[in-house]
Amino acid sequence: QVQLKESGPGLVQPSQTLSLTCAVSGFSLPSNSVHWVRQPPGKGLEWVGTVWSGGSADYNSALKSRLSISRDTSKSQVFLKMNSLQTEDTAIYFCTRGYTTFFDYWGQGVMVTVSS
Amino acid sequence: DVVLTQTPPTLSATIGQSVSISCRSSQSLLDSDGDTYLNWLLQRPGQSPQLLIYSVSNLESGVPNRFSGSGSETDFTLKISGVEAEDLGVYYCMQATHAPLSFGSGTKLEIK
């Protein structure tokens, strides 16, 4: 069955770089896009970016200068790297599978706290 | 960028009551291919969001048929016909017609 699982550090210091991994199973990365969505504590959902099935990436314009999303198809993993982290980046980060124009499967999410 | 405005922000309902949530878009969500890419998601407390409805009115597999979606262009509605206890949570609309895709601010459904 389709599964996505996020992993990464729970705590990151301000101005440092966040690295997250989304391990997927039950589908192949060349067949589907994988998106990152984040949710600050008690707030709504924000699209972060995606790696498309063809391998190219798109980013939220507000985060684009700090963000990189890539993948390793052989390992079925998608990576998010965001630099210059600030407290406003504190959030739960979800990865989710894109199916045509909607998200059909979601990971459990990983909480990232930016604090010294 | 497309802004999605959801109303009401919170909703309190009794079991069996029918409720509606509105999602209004700052731009038409009718795509050049003739389809409208407006989806509805539910996030139960402590859980990841889950897809309820895609492309305005198509029920995702496994979703109870008490959920229905309607609308066009800029005005969309999610209706729950007979709320059940498991329906509590935050409902989000989401558009994928225009890049970047975007979410509404959410509607929290509470059970009285």
Side-chain angles (χ1 to χ4, degrees):
Chain A
Q1 71 277 29
V2 172
Q3 291 186 326
L4 302 96
K5 185 167 185 178
E6 307 87 348
S7 61
L11 181 65
V12 180
Q13 293 197 340
S15 79
Q16 296 302 301
T17 296
L18 171 66
S19 295
L20 297 177
T21 299
C22 175
V24 310
S25 59
F27 69 98
S28 67
L29 292 176
S31 297
N32 291 91
S33 58
V34 172
H35 297 249
W36 290 93
V37 174
R38 70 180 183 178
Q39 184 172 38
K43 296 190 177 181
L45 303 171
E46 179 184 30
W47 180 73
V48 173
T50 184
V51 58
W52 298 105
S53 57
S56 63
D58 274 324
Y59 307 110
N60 181 320
S61 56
L63 304 172
K64 189 172 183 177
S65 63
R66 304 191 287 132
L67 188 59
S68 172
I69 297 175
S70 60
R71 71 184 187 185
D72 183 331
T73 56
S74 66
K75 294 184 177 179
S76 294
Q77 293 178 330
V78 175
F79 309 105
L80 177 152
K81 289 190 190 301
M82 185 184 301
N83 59 33
S84 304
L85 250 61
Q86 301 300 320
T87 54
E88 308 87 79
D89 296 312
T90 294
I92 299 173
Y93 285 75
F94 298 99
C95 59
T96 175
R97 186 178 84 158
Y99 184 83
T100 64
T101 56
F102 52 84
F103 303 150
D104 59 351
Y105 290 91
W106 292 69
Q108 63 191 20
V110 59
M111 179 68 204
V112 174
T113 301
V114 181
S115 175
S116 55
Chain B
D1 295 1
V2 173
V3 175
L4 299 177
T5 302
Q6 285 184 236
T7 55
T10 60
L11 197 49
S12 185
T14 56
I15 301 299
Q17 183 180 351
S18 292
V19 297
S20 293
I21 298 170
S22 170
C23 176
R24 289 191 169 172
S25 174
S26 60
Q27 301 178 35
S28 172
L29 298 184
L30 176 63
D31 193 72
S32 56
D33 65 5
D35 211 337
T36 300
Y37 300 116
L38 187 284
N39 309 320
W40 289 96
L41 301 85
L42 164 61
Q43 187 175 30
R44 294 188 173 100
Q47 294 187 17
S48 305
Q50 66 173 99
L51 179 67
L52 296 176
I53 288 173
Y54 61 93
S55 297
V56 181
S57 58
N58 296 278
L59 206 61
E60 171 69 342
S61 176
V63 174
N65 60 13
R66 63 179 179 274
F67 292 94
S68 62
S70 63
S72 63
E73 304 267 1
T74 59
D75 288 333
F76 304 93
T77 300
L78 174 71
K79 183 176 181 179
I80 310 174
S81 300
V83 167
E84 298 194 4
E86 65 181 14
D87 298 338
L88 75 91
V90 181
Y91 291 80
Y92 295 95
C93 56
M94 170 201 143
Q95 69 82 23
T97 298
H98 301 287
L101 62 86
S102 52
F103 296 92
S105 51
T107 295
K108 184 176 183 179
L109 175 62
E110 301 171 338
I111 307 298
K112 288 180 184 175

